[in-house]
Amino acid sequence: MSDIILDVKHLVVTFDTYQGSVQAVRDVSFHVNRKETVGIVGESGCGKSVTIRTVMGLNPRSSGSVRGGQALFDGQDVLQLPEKEIRKLLGNRMSMIFQDPFTFLNPTMQVGRQITETYLRHHAVSRREAEEKALSILRLISLPNPEQNMKRYPHQLSGGMRQRIMIAMALICEPAVLFADEPTTALDVTIQAQIIDLMNSLKEKTETAIVLITHDMGVVANMVDRLYVMYAGKIVEQGDADAMFHRPRHPYTWGLLDSVPRLDERTKEELHSIPGMPPDLIAPPEGCPFAARCRYAMNLCVRRAPDTIPLREEGHAAACWLCHPEYVRQYGETTREGRPNVK
């Protein structure tokens, strides 16, 4: 049995609008191993959520279309499955924790019933057995007073408790892959820390692989085994967590890291931000999509998009001309601290 549970290859997704076709995902490839946590990081609009929703068959078919690629889940291309077969996987073998639980929970149903409905849909068990399973999951995620809270409605719970209910719904069928789409965005910092600790704990207790989608490098810092950085519908850098946080090579990754406030240093400087705006994906640039915002951009960057270049560590790669062996041989290695030998 292969260690890879999800293998996305050369995925291309577009959306038709009155202005033209938006190229939301452009030749994206990544994989997820069993029992590991993978992060997909990037600004809003970079294509990370569209990528995952495409894999799960959740994009609107009226406007969105897959123009190419594969998404092999346990060896089966889910992009080719009919909707009926996809529904058998969703909530069962593949689950998602959505960004805003209050939007996705039914306000007219007790949360306990919403959790058990997920289990009953995929298992031939009695409601009593489903309720016992729900209670065991709520205890696993450390929800206070699970028997009492199962009888409550979403509006009677705090934001953190609602997010735990969403996690319980996603985990009750013991999925092979759990997608978490910005799971801490709507929560205050204290609850964010609790949810992150909870997901780290679940990773140790279950055999579920986790794909964490976020714009915040700080959220994934202590969670992921490997990291993919997306920009303008493309993967621009990838590697294991140690390489990505300590030896990043793409200027966009540097910008994301510099935007995270440091709690271990005292500084009076303002928070760093990446200047400019992402490109228009109705007419994406011919060259590197980050060139217009990059302080190290060269004429070549504007004219031609770089290939993904393997780096020193196995699995670490970046789509940047600064990493090209010929450039490094001639000018030296450019780092977050600056570019050597070139004015």
Side-chain angles (χ1 to χ4, degrees):
M1 184 172 62
S2 171
D3 287 337
I4 297 176
I5 184 63
L6 177 64
D7 193 6
V8 176
K9 300 179 179 180
H10 306 292
L11 184 64
V12 178
V13 182
T14 63
F15 290 91
D16 296 328
T17 71
Y18 69 93
Q19 291 181 317
S21 181
V22 178
Q23 300 177 43
V25 178
R26 305 188 291 151
D27 195 23
V28 164
S29 298
F30 68 94
H31 73 275
V32 182
N33 294 319
R34 299 175 192 274
K35 306 178 187 178
E36 79 166 342
T37 301
V38 169
I40 302 178
V41 182
E43 292 172 291
S44 296
C46 72
K48 55 189 186 296
S49 294
V50 171
T51 298
I52 298 308
R53 288 171 180 262
T54 300
V55 172
M56 298 190 71
L58 297 178
N59 282 329
R61 299 193 175 188
S62 58
S63 59
S65 58
V66 179
R67 299 291 185 180
Q70 294 179 303
L72 303 176
F73 176 75
D74 217 2
Q76 185 179 33
D77 188 0
V78 295
L79 301 181
Q80 302 302 321
L81 293 179
E83 187 173 352
K84 183 178 180 180
E85 295 300 314
I86 283 286
R87 288 185 177 277
K88 292 180 181 178
L89 292 176
L90 297 185
N92 186 22
R93 298 279 289 146
M94 292 191 295
S95 291
M96 178 176 275
I97 304 170
F98 293 97
Q99 182 171 344
D100 182 5
F102 203 67
T103 301
F104 290 92
L105 291 173
N106 189 331
T108 67
M109 290 176 61
Q110 294 175 334
V111 295
R113 184 179 174 190
Q114 296 186 56
I115 298 171
T116 56
E117 288 296 323
T118 303
Y119 195 70
L120 287 168
R121 179 180 180 86
H122 297 287
H123 295 81
V125 297
S126 67
R127 182 167 293 277
R128 178 65 180 173
E129 291 173 308
E131 289 174 352
E132 289 298 324
K133 179 67 174 180
L135 280 171
S136 69
I137 291 294
L138 292 176
R139 294 188 185 104
L140 178 66
I141 65 172
S142 302
L143 184 76
N145 303 317
E147 293 86 355
Q148 182 179 356
N149 283 318
M150 277 187 66
K151 300 176 182 178
R152 291 181 173 173
Y153 293 87
H155 71 274
Q156 296 175 310
L157 302 176
S158 67
M161 293 173 74
R162 287 195 293 267
Q163 193 63 284
R164 288 171 186 265
I165 295 297
M166 288 290 294
I167 293 173
M169 291 175 64
L171 287 176
I172 193 168
C173 291
E174 301 177 6
V177 178
L178 173 64
F179 300 104
D181 189 0
E182 303 273 11
T184 63
T185 296
L187 306 174
D188 62 54
V189 291
T190 304
I191 304 302
Q192 282 186 22
Q194 293 177 6
I195 296 299
I196 291 172
D197 288 343
L198 170 61
M199 295 185 69
N200 277 327
S201 174
L202 292 173
K203 177 183 173 182
E204 301 299 324
K205 295 177 182 177
T206 69
E207 296 186 352
T208 299
I210 299 175
V211 180
L212 180 61
I213 308 155
T214 182
H215 65 278
D216 189 345
M217 294 288 278
V219 169
V220 299
N222 297 315
M223 285 193 63
V224 301
D225 301 302
R226 293 186 299 110
L227 190 62
Y228 293 89
V229 175
M230 281 193 73
Y231 183 76
K234 289 177 171 285
I235 301 288
V236 296
E237 188 169 6
Q238 58 188 280
D240 65 39
D242 181 67
M244 294 291 285
F245 282 98
H246 295 101
R247 295 175 297 281
R249 294 294 303 278
H250 197 285
Y252 180 60
T253 309
W254 301 337
L256 291 177
L257 287 168
D258 291 341
S259 300
V260 178
R262 296 288 299 271
L263 300 180
D264 59 342
E265 296 180 357
R266 289 189 176 184
T267 178
K268 295 182 180 179
E269 296 181 4
E270 294 182 1
L271 283 176
H272 175 81
S273 63
I274 303 174
M277 296 290 291
D280 181 3
L281 292 185
I282 292 179
E286 293 183 5
C288 173
F290 191 62
R293 306 174 71 184
C294 180
R295 59 176 173 162
Y296 298 121
M298 304 171 286
N299 290 334
L300 176 62
C301 302
V302 178
R303 297 196 312 267
R304 181 179 167 190
D307 295 327
T308 299
I309 301 167
L311 302 173
R312 294 174 187 171
E313 294 90 349
E314 183 178 356
H316 191 190
C320 181
W321 287 116
L322 298 176
C323 301
H324 194 280
E326 183 62 26
Y327 178 92
V328 175
R329 184 190 66 79
Q330 186 171 355
Y331 297 112
E333 183 177 301
T334 303
T335 67
R336 290 170 72 184
E337 286 69 38
R339 172 192 287 178
N341 304 326
V342 179
K343 296 182 179 179

